[in-house]
Amino acid sequence: MERIMNKLISQQHKQNWDAIVIGGGIGGLSTAAFLATNGQKVLLLEQYNVVGGCSHVFRRKRQWEFDVGIHYIGDCGEKGQLTTMLKSLGLKDRIQFALMDSTGYDTVITPNHRVKIPYGWDNYLNNLIQAFPNEEKGLRQFIDIISRIGMAIDRSRTPASLWGTTKFAFNAGSASIWAMMPVSKLLDYCRLSTQARTVVSVQFGQYGCIPSRAPVVLHAGLLQNYINGGAWYPLGGGQVLAGNLVEVIEAHGGVVRTQTKVNKILIQNNKVQGVRLEDGEEFVTSTIVSAADIKKTYLNMVGVEQLPSRFVRKVKNYKMSDPFVNVYLGLNTDLREWMPNTNYFSVPTNESLEKTAAILSGEGQKQLTTDQWVKRARQTLPAFIHSSTVKDPDNRRHAPEGCSTLESMTMVPASREFWTKSAQGQNYSKDSFYLDLKEQLTEIMIQRVEEIMPGIKQHIVWQEAATPLSHERYTLSTDATAYGLECNIRQYGPFRPKSKTLITGLYLAGTSTTWGPSIEGAFLSGLHAASAIFGRDMDKEIHSGQIYADVSLLQSQSYTWDPLKVSTKLNRKKQY
């Protein structure tokens, strides 16, 4: 009897919430912000000690600050989609964006070509024709199809509903037949040379899917966002997004907890009941939004026993996007003297990018020994290179005065067996095989930088690399992916998971949902998760000028305001 009474008392003291959000990336933070500003009592739970997910920053020696995932964001102009969402949360004036070089926000460098990607489709076409004058016909075909598809996309509505898809098809006209075909098929149709194909499709690394699997609509949407909407960087660094969202959530009565890992989503009769933490603590709610890894949400937190066997097989067969290796450099020179406000795609070979990607990532690497893989990587592995200090030179947190930060990154295999000889659960960071491979990849990524900025090596005073094993340890993402489900033709748009699930009260947000990867995609997933919970068209509301936040509740921010401090070790032991 005493045991029963104690259990009843314990249940009475369980904390009730209108909604619980699992995962503190941009998808989870935006969901919680939209719920909190619409009157919901919200609890957000993040397993790491910093919120922001792949958008957060890290610091070294109190001198260097590096962006983990925010390199640039598209469509942040006055009427842009992200701007509209921020405005509805009272953040339009608190988060400012700087526009990158209009003549070339990206620059593709190959052994024989240097092509800038500017704003404006006509400008882009002119640059391509100038680089490949003998391929004008094919380039015009390619840009005509890509631009018509891109301009027909409504990033929020096109993938979200049958009406959105129908409207897209009407606006794109005859080009719409290409929308869900692989990018490689369109390149074949336009009869572009290997080198021209590389220049017009090298951005595949930004959505983690090679051209033979990525749908044309995905590539078109990415280019449209930047070419028509501009390429922008948040002043103050990537953490300002998470830091400001935290302040919105807390100002409107919500709670954010870090270092709080959810072990189980509690379900009874196919309805959400609450969550149980790793330490046994439980919270009660009838509404849960998981912005955590989609496979771990279903297979671990929900549990296969709660799901139909056919659905479990589908989840297990989901293909995740390939992960990255990231090399972060601190330089004792002002990079504005070395480069314009652009990002570089450094491609060291004239070999087909599709061939390179097929061999060096995913299944292809299994056919090679490690030495063979590294040898090919030195010769052919491309890199994406960017500098936060060039984009945001007035932010003194990035680097000491007169110094700069630089990042060089590329897609790599995900399998643990590729990276380390240590068993699962063992400390891979001391494995000599892992350390040697990591060092060689670091050298290759630095070499890609040296190839476009000769002499830069001598200015390196700090360097650090993060591998897929690092990413998996910090984010708990399946296959160390930063982009969620791979955006292949079978897992894109209407074929991706939507906000609602087959369990009553359980919703999804994050980059594995319909809206896909990128800051904008993750933010949209939060807007639509909230819309599904409330049964309202919140996208329509915010485009009509609706402001959900009570701006008077937000505290003023002085010049010493630190978004990383705001985002770290939140409410660890607070009682509610």
Side-chain angles (χ1 to χ4, degrees):
M1 178 63 69
E2 182 179 355
R3 184 180 299 176
I4 295 173
M5 288 300 297
N6 287 337
K7 185 175 182 181
L8 288 173
I9 293 172
S10 175
Q11 288 175 341
Q12 288 174 357
H13 284 83
K14 287 180 182 177
Q15 299 165 45
N16 288 267
W17 298 85
D18 293 330
I20 293 175
V21 179
I22 305 171
I26 295 300
L29 287 166
S30 61
T31 303
F34 283 118
L35 294 175
T37 54
N38 278 272
Q40 293 276 290
K41 181 184 176 185
V42 180
L43 173 65
L44 184 147
L45 304 172
E46 164 57 39
Q47 60 86 27
Y48 188 44
N49 68 349
V50 182
V51 295
C54 293
S55 73
H56 86 271
V57 302
F58 67 92
R59 293 174 183 163
R60 292 293 183 262
K61 290 191 172 182
R62 297 184 180 181
Q63 291 182 304
W64 311 101
E65 178 177 289
F66 298 98
D67 282 295
V68 171
I70 291 187
H71 306 119
Y72 52 168
I73 306 173
D75 199 20
C76 294
E78 184 64 28
K79 296 183 179 180
Q81 180 69 53
L82 186 61
T83 308
T84 303
M85 290 187 285
L86 290 173
K87 183 179 180 181
S88 73
L89 296 173
L91 295 177
K92 182 175 180 292
D93 296 327
R94 293 167 76 94
I95 300 177
Q96 301 293 316
F97 296 92
L99 193 63
M100 294 179 64
D101 192 341
S102 62
T103 66
Y105 66 89
D106 278 339
T107 305
V108 184
I109 300 177
T110 70
N112 303 113
H113 297 91
R114 188 183 189 99
V115 181
K116 291 183 176 182
I117 304 179
Y119 302 144
W121 285 106
D122 289 341
N123 296 330
Y124 182 34
L125 176 60
N126 290 337
N127 284 7
L128 291 173
I129 293 173
Q130 187 175 358
F132 305 98
N134 296 329
E135 300 186 57
E136 180 174 348
K137 180 181 178 180
L139 290 169
R140 287 189 180 278
Q141 285 181 317
F142 180 80
I143 294 300
D144 176 61
I145 293 170
I146 285 283
S147 62
R148 282 197 285 153
I149 290 175
M151 288 187 285
I153 294 172
D154 180 325
R155 188 74 168 80
S156 179
R157 294 182 176 276
T158 295
S161 66
L162 179 61
W163 165 244
T165 303
T166 302
K167 184 178 179 182
F168 159 77
F170 177 81
N171 289 337
S174 60
S176 64
I177 63 172
W178 287 99
M180 291 303 290
M181 292 189 186
V183 174
S184 59
K185 293 291 185 184
L186 178 58
L187 296 172
D188 291 341
Y189 172 77
C190 296
R191 297 183 179 181
L192 297 180
S193 66
T194 298
Q195 293 185 50
R197 289 168 73 108
T198 292
V199 170
V200 300
S201 66
V202 71
Q203 298 94 344
F204 74 85
Q206 294 175 304
Y207 44 75
C209 185
I210 62 176
S212 60
R213 297 200 296 267
V216 170
V217 65
L218 171 66
H219 193 71
L222 172 80
L223 289 174
Q224 169 70 13
N225 240 22
Y226 295 124
I227 289 177
N228 251 28
W232 308 76
Y233 181 81
L235 294 176
Q239 195 70 42
V240 299
L241 292 174
N244 275 283
L245 287 170
V246 166
E247 293 196 334
V248 168
I249 295 165
E250 293 182 336
H252 291 81
V255 173
V256 180
R257 277 183 57 169
T258 57
Q259 296 175 283
T260 308
K261 185 178 179 181
V262 174
N263 185 55
K264 203 73 178 175
I265 295 173
L266 304 176
I267 298 168
Q268 187 174 355
N269 298 326
N270 202 49
K271 294 182 179 179
V272 160
Q273 304 294 310
V275 299
R276 181 184 300 124
L277 306 185
E278 195 172 42
D279 63 4
E281 186 178 11
E282 292 185 3
F283 296 111
V284 177
T285 186
S286 59
T287 301
I288 292 175
V289 182
S290 178
D293 179 85
I294 191 167
K295 284 194 174 186
K296 292 181 178 177
T297 293
Y298 280 125
L299 303 180
N300 298 349
M301 287 187 278
V302 171
V304 296
E305 70 279 2
Q306 301 284 353
L307 301 165
S309 57
R310 184 176 180 182
F311 183 78
V312 170
R313 288 195 299 272
K314 178 181 179 180
V315 172
K316 288 181 177 179
N317 288 329
Y318 278 148
K319 171 73 169 65
M320 311 307 289
S321 299
D322 285 329
F324 297 90
V325 66
N326 306 70
V327 174
Y328 304 98
L329 304 175
L331 307 168
N332 63 0
T333 184
D334 188 339
L335 274 174
R336 288 176 294 176
E337 299 174 4
W338 295 70
M339 60 184 286
N341 191 357
T342 190
N343 304 304
Y344 288 115
F345 288 91
S346 178
V347 185
T349 177
N350 287 323
E351 178 182 274
S352 164
L353 266 184
E354 291 150 281
K355 181 180 178 181
T356 298
I359 293 174
L360 293 181
S361 66
E363 293 297 315
Q365 58 86 16
K366 295 180 181 179
Q367 313 305 318
L368 304 174
T369 66
T370 302
D371 288 343
Q372 289 172 332
W373 189 94
V374 170
K375 182 178 180 180
R376 280 198 60 90
R378 288 190 189 281
Q379 298 168 344
T380 64
L381 195 63
F384 173 78
I385 298 163
H386 93 104
S387 171
S388 297
T389 47
V390 171
K391 297 168 186 170
D392 186 17
D394 295 329
N395 181 4
R396 293 269 61 88
R397 289 192 300 267
H398 285 313
E401 188 172 355
C403 297
S404 306
T405 61
L406 190 71
E407 180 185 5
S408 181
M409 60 185 287
T410 195
M411 287 170 59
V412 289
S415 69
R416 183 182 178 87
E417 294 74 21
F418 173 79
W419 288 98
T420 181
K421 300 303 181 185
S422 64
Q424 190 75 35
Q426 291 183 347
N427 186 356
Y428 65 84
S429 64
K430 295 183 179 179
D431 174 21
S432 59
F433 178 88
Y434 169 78
L435 294 173
D436 181 61
L437 182 56
K438 181 179 178 180
E439 182 178 351
Q440 293 186 77
L441 263 295
T442 299
E443 292 173 359
I444 293 170
M445 289 297 95
I446 292 175
Q447 184 57 36
R448 293 293 94 91
V449 179
E450 180 74 12
E451 286 162 2
I452 60 174
M453 289 183 273
I456 201 68
K457 280 184 181 180
Q458 65 183 345
H459 292 284
I460 297 173
V461 294
W462 175 267
Q463 68 181 57
E464 183 172 350
T467 69
L469 298 189
S470 314
H471 188 85
E472 186 175 31
R473 177 161 57 92
Y474 287 118
T475 67
L476 304 184
S477 62
T478 299
D479 293 337
T481 183
Y483 290 159
L485 294 181
E486 184 181 75
C487 292
N488 60 54
I489 56 177
R490 296 181 179 180
Q491 294 184 167
Y492 185 69
F495 304 117
R496 286 173 93 77
K498 294 179 172 58
S499 303
K500 288 186 177 181
T501 72
L502 42 69
I503 295 171
T504 302
L506 178 62
Y507 300 83
L508 299 176
T511 57
S512 286
T513 60
T514 296
W515 299 272
S518 77
I519 294 298
E520 184 182 22
F523 218 114
L524 278 167
S525 76
L527 173 69
H528 284 276
S531 294
I533 291 168
F534 291 130
R536 292 158 37 196
D537 188 345
M538 295 174 69
D539 182 68
K540 182 178 180 180
E541 290 175 3
I542 66 175
H543 280 92
S544 298
Q546 181 72 46
I547 307 295
Y548 301 128
D550 182 347
V551 181
S552 68
L553 297 175
L554 300 177
Q555 295 182 358
S556 61
Q557 296 173 347
S558 70
Y559 72 95
T560 60
W561 183 77
D562 186 347
L564 185 56
K565 185 177 181 180
V566 171
S567 305
T568 305
K569 296 182 180 178
L570 298 160
N571 294 302
R572 181 72 177 100
K573 298 179 180 179
K574 185 176 179 180
Q575 295 300 312
Y576 317 112

